[in-house]
Every structure is written in structure tokens, then in C-alpha cells.
Amino acid sequence: MSNYKIILSGGGTGGHIYPAIAIANELKSRFPDAKFLFVGAKDRMEMEKVPQAGYEIEGLWISGIQRKLTLKNLMFPFKVISSLWKARKIIKSFKPNVAIGTGGFASGPLLHVAASNKIQTLIQEQNSYPGITNKLLAKKANKICVAYDGLERFFPKDKIIKTGNPVRKGLLDIDSKTVEAKNFFNLKHGKYTLLVIGGSLGAGRINELIETKLDFLDTQNVQVIWQCGKLYYQQYKIYNHTKNIQVYEFLNNMDFAYAAADIIISRAGASSVSELCIVGKPVIFVPSPNVAEDHQTKNAMSIVNNNAALIINEEDLDADFENKFSQLVASPEKQKELGNNIKSLALVNATKQIADEVEKLLKNK
Ligand SMILES: CC(=O)N[C@H]1[C@@H](OP(=O)(O)OP(=O)(O)OC[C@H]2O[C@@H](n3ccc(=O)[nH]c3=O)[C@H](O)[C@@H]2O)O[C@H](CO)[C@@H](O)[C@@H]1O
């Protein structure tokens, strides 16, 4: 039998959505007759990105809980009840053989209901410090695929499999795409290209930095692809096409963006870090300090400690950025060293290994 029904849930940010899409794509290539359904949170970016990737999605009325007393928080119990009810309805009518959760609020009710109905479940945790949803789901899940060591502190040890983070297929062979990518972005061949990415939502502090360093970057003779995020686009689009700068709210072709780049400045979300290892180019990480347990700094340090990338913390940007950046641009040797070292840390088979584990669950092994 290969006409399996597979349900996937993960979202809120790209960091939970793209792993789910990568897993679905791999399973689709193995089981072309399988049926797929995604479940996300209404109004979040998965409702747009998942259909763009060619899959159906249903939305639950759910969001996270905040630390302060707000109207949104008071609604939280009602949202949980509503989303559990809808998740039950979806599971009953779709009748999946397996449920896969990649973190984010919607995967909580969906995977909880699936496990309660004795459906095999697999969760995938991208970070070295797990999100609350996966922590809650771990007890009932059949398998937990992780990307870092030490997660037995949070999850049952016998369920953990270290696979790395799933990465979309198109990002695996960017070396062959450089010329096509530079043409795609209308970039000058032979001129240095800086790619700035602020994670799937954009990063306010990185945007401020780039805005104040536009003249400096001009003196460095670089052309810039700057992904500022949907929230910030109205503020920064005035710089589009000034001083060799291109401003984007979101890059839909990350393979071309990575392929065109010579140097990359990035947040250190888990999927970004996994992708940057595969890409193998010199990176300056600016981790977000606003995430649980400062996990982006931990993600970045796992690379920096291997002499495989540079890091500048937000509070040091004003003092250190110009020096570190100009030294890196001036040293092809350093760029090569960082590029080679980061590439050696890549876990390129993650998606395949996770799909192998899903296959075992489907065949009930
Ligand atoms: C602020 C915040 O809460 N960040 C978290 C969020 O980050 P975030 O959602 O930014 O996630 P990641 O950095 O892990 O992944 C971003 C994904 O979006 C893609 N992308 C990004 C920009 C763009 O223009 N186009 C595009 O396609 C990247 O290629 C990548 O696949 O989830 C991660 C994974 O759980 C966490 O590690 C991060 O700490």
C-alpha cells in the first residue's frame, strides 16, 4: 500500500513551516499516491506559504500564550478548546496513517488529538532548546527527530533520533546556480554580493544596522540583497535600488539568494543555521536575543566554536561591525576558511533520515 494519508502541522514562523514542507516533499517523492494535509494557525504565514508549496492547509484558531495579562491571553482557553475540537474533526475525516509535527502552536492540538486516537506521531525539534509545544507533545510522540546533542534533558531518551534539520531540496546544490542566481537578481557579475537575512520575519536590529551602514557598505564596494521582513518593508523600501541595494520583504527563492551571495549576515534561527552549513559561505551571525533560553546564540556558537563563522552580538554591532566586516571582505583566505569549515558541519541527509523514520511508522516497524 502506498496511498498513505499523511498529516503535517507546524508553523507560526518559517522556522517551523519549511522543515514540514521539506519532509512532505521527500515523502511525496517516495509515495506519489499519498495524500497530504497541513494544519496551521489561522492568520499565520503558513496559510500563505504552504499553498505556495503546493499543499492543502486547514487553519486552527490558536496562538501562543503571553507572559502578561492581555485580552489575547484571556481568549487562550477558548482557543485551545476550539482548536482541539477542530483538530478532532480534521483527524476524523482525513484519517491519517501518521501525524508529523514540526513545532509552533497549531501542532499542539493536532498532534495531541492524533496521539490520543492511536495514530503514529513523529515530532521534529529544530533547536538545541525545545519549544513549549514539542516539550508537551514529547511524552505521547512515537519518535522525536532532533538536530542537536543533549536533548534527553527534555525528551524521553529512547524516542530521540539525531537527524539534523530538514532542508528544502533546492538548497542542496546551489554551487551550480551562481550565474543563474546573479542574473535572477540582476546583479553585477564580478562585484561582491552581501546577503542580509533577518530570519523568516525580518530582524529590527539588523535592519537598523544596515540603514546606518549604507554609506559604509558603499565604500566597501559591495552590492546588497537585503531581506528586511514583511513588518518592516514599508519603512525600508525607500532604499530599494539606491547604492546597489535591493530591498525585499521576503525572499521566495532562497536557493538563488544563497547562490548569489559572497558573504552573508544572518540571524541564527535553527533552519537558517542548518541551511548556511549546507551553503558553505562566510557568515556573520547576529543572533536574536529575544528568544527562549537565548537559543539563537547557542545555535550560532555551535558553528563559531568550530572556527566556521563570525558572530557579533546586537550590543556590539555599533562598535564592531565595520571592523569585522571590512577585515572579512579584504581577506579571501579567511572567507575560504570559514566557508570550508561551516560546510564540514552540514548534516545533508536530515530530510531523508526523517522520511525513513516516518516510513518505519507507516509500516509500523
Ligand atoms: C524570532 C524567532 O522566534 N525565531 C525562531 C524562528 O525563526 P525563523 O522563523 O526565522 O526560522 P529559521 O531561521 O529556523 O528559518 C527561517 C526559514 O525561512 C526561510 N526564509 C527566510 C527568509 C526569507 O526571506 N525567505 C525564506 O525562505 C529560510 O530559508 C529558512 O528556511 O524559528 C526557529 C526554528 O524553530 C528558531 O530557531 C528561531 O529562534
Side-chain angles (χ1 to χ4, degrees):
M1 176 178 129
S2 63
N3 52 345
Y4 296 116
K5 289 182 179 170
I6 299 169
I7 203 158
L8 300 104
S9 184
T13 67
H16 299 303
I17 300 167
Y18 290 114
I21 291 174
I23 297 169
N25 287 346
E26 176 64 26
L27 289 168
K28 198 173 175 182
S29 73
R30 294 184 188 196
F31 305 113
D33 297 331
K35 281 209 170 80
F36 293 85
L37 179 64
F38 278 67
V39 175
K42 271 185 187 161
D43 308 327
R44 298 307 298 248
M45 69 190 282
E46 56 267 27
M47 301 311 287
E48 178 195 335
K49 302 296 173 198
V50 167
Q52 275 174 9
Y55 295 100
E56 270 180 51
I57 185 161
E58 296 259 7
L60 305 180
W61 185 48
I62 186 79
S63 62
I65 189 152
Q66 291 151 337
R67 286 195 190 115
K68 43 186 193 278
L69 195 70
T70 60
L71 181 65
K72 227 176 157 187
N73 263 359
L74 293 176
M75 301 295 275
F76 186 71
F78 301 102
K79 290 184 181 176
V80 172
I81 294 166
S82 147
S83 56
L84 282 169
W85 180 79
K86 187 158 181 196
R88 212 163 281 135
K89 226 174 108 186
I90 293 170
I91 294 277
K92 275 216 163 115
S93 74
F94 188 68
K95 296 190 182 66
N97 302 96
V98 69
I100 300 165
T102 53
F105 312 125
S107 66
L110 198 270
L111 273 275
H112 173 78
V113 170
S116 307
N117 281 276
K118 306 262 173 303
I119 290 159
Q120 303 279 313
T121 58
L122 177 146
I123 55 178
Q124 194 262 327
E125 174 54 55
Q126 296 92 35
N127 293 287
S128 54
Y129 187 89
I132 184 160
T133 312
N134 277 352
K135 272 199 264 181
L136 290 171
L137 291 171
K139 227 172 158 187
K140 284 194 168 179
N142 296 91
K143 291 190 179 180
I144 305 170
C145 294
V146 302
Y148 289 91
D149 292 323
L151 280 144
E152 53 285 351
R153 285 184 293 142
F154 310 100
F155 299 143
K157 198 175 171 186
D158 55 322
K159 296 181 182 179
I160 296 179
I161 304 147
K162 187 177 169 195
T163 54
N165 285 322
V167 164
R168 286 166 289 171
K169 237 186 194 152
L171 302 180
L172 297 177
D173 61 342
I174 58 142
D175 288 343
S176 61
K177 300 183 185 170
T178 315
V179 174
E180 203 186 343
K182 293 222 166 183
N183 290 340
F184 178 83
F185 284 108
N186 251 322
L187 293 163
K188 294 189 185 101
H189 292 261
K191 192 176 169 90
Y192 243 75
T193 304
L194 165 67
L195 170 65
V196 181
I197 25 179
S200 60
L201 305 173
R205 182 64 185 95
I206 295 182
N207 291 338
E208 272 171 41
L209 172 84
I210 299 302
E211 185 180 36
T212 53
K213 299 297 176 195
L214 289 175
D215 288 338
F216 163 76
L217 291 170
D218 205 27
T219 64
Q220 298 293 298
N221 201 19
V222 289
Q223 46 193 351
V224 185
I225 301 174
W226 174 12
Q227 175 257 351
C228 65
K230 198 173 177 176
L231 261 175
Y232 306 95
Y233 185 66
Q234 291 309 320
Q235 188 179 345
Y236 294 109
K237 67 177 185 191
I238 45 164
Y239 299 113
N240 201 14
H241 300 305
T242 62
K243 295 186 179 149
N244 294 306
I245 309 269
Q246 302 186 23
V247 187
Y248 294 88
E249 61 173 68
F250 190 83
L251 295 160
N252 284 313
N253 298 71
M254 280 306 286
D255 54 344
F256 282 166
Y258 287 137
D262 296 296
I263 292 189
I264 301 169
I265 295 175
S266 177
R267 278 294 198 218
S271 293
S272 299
V273 173
S274 300
E275 290 172 7
L276 290 164
C277 290
I278 287 168
V279 164
K281 299 203 171 172
V283 178
I284 301 176
F285 285 116
V286 182
S288 167
N290 316 314
V291 295
E293 297 295 309
D294 201 17
H295 68 250
Q296 288 208 3
T297 302
K298 291 178 187 135
N299 293 347
M301 287 314 292
S302 69
I303 310 296
V304 174
N305 287 336
N306 285 289
N307 186 26
L310 304 180
I311 183 169
I312 311 181
N313 291 314
E314 284 198 351
E315 66 269 23
D316 301 325
L317 278 172
D318 290 333
D320 293 352
F321 176 73
E322 291 193 7
N323 266 345
K324 284 202 177 176
F325 186 81
S326 51
Q327 277 170 21
L328 185 58
V329 171
S331 172
E333 300 78 36
K334 187 71 186 166
Q335 291 168 35
K336 204 163 176 197
E337 186 187 11
L338 293 179
N340 289 340
N341 289 352
I342 198 170
K343 205 166 181 110
S344 73
L345 300 173
L347 293 170
V348 282
N349 288 321
T351 318
K352 287 199 160 64
Q353 275 182 36
I354 296 166
D356 290 345
E357 295 304 325
V358 175
E359 242 189 80
K360 286 184 204 160
L361 290 179
L362 285 169
K363 292 173 182 158
N364 226 339
K365 280 194 225 160

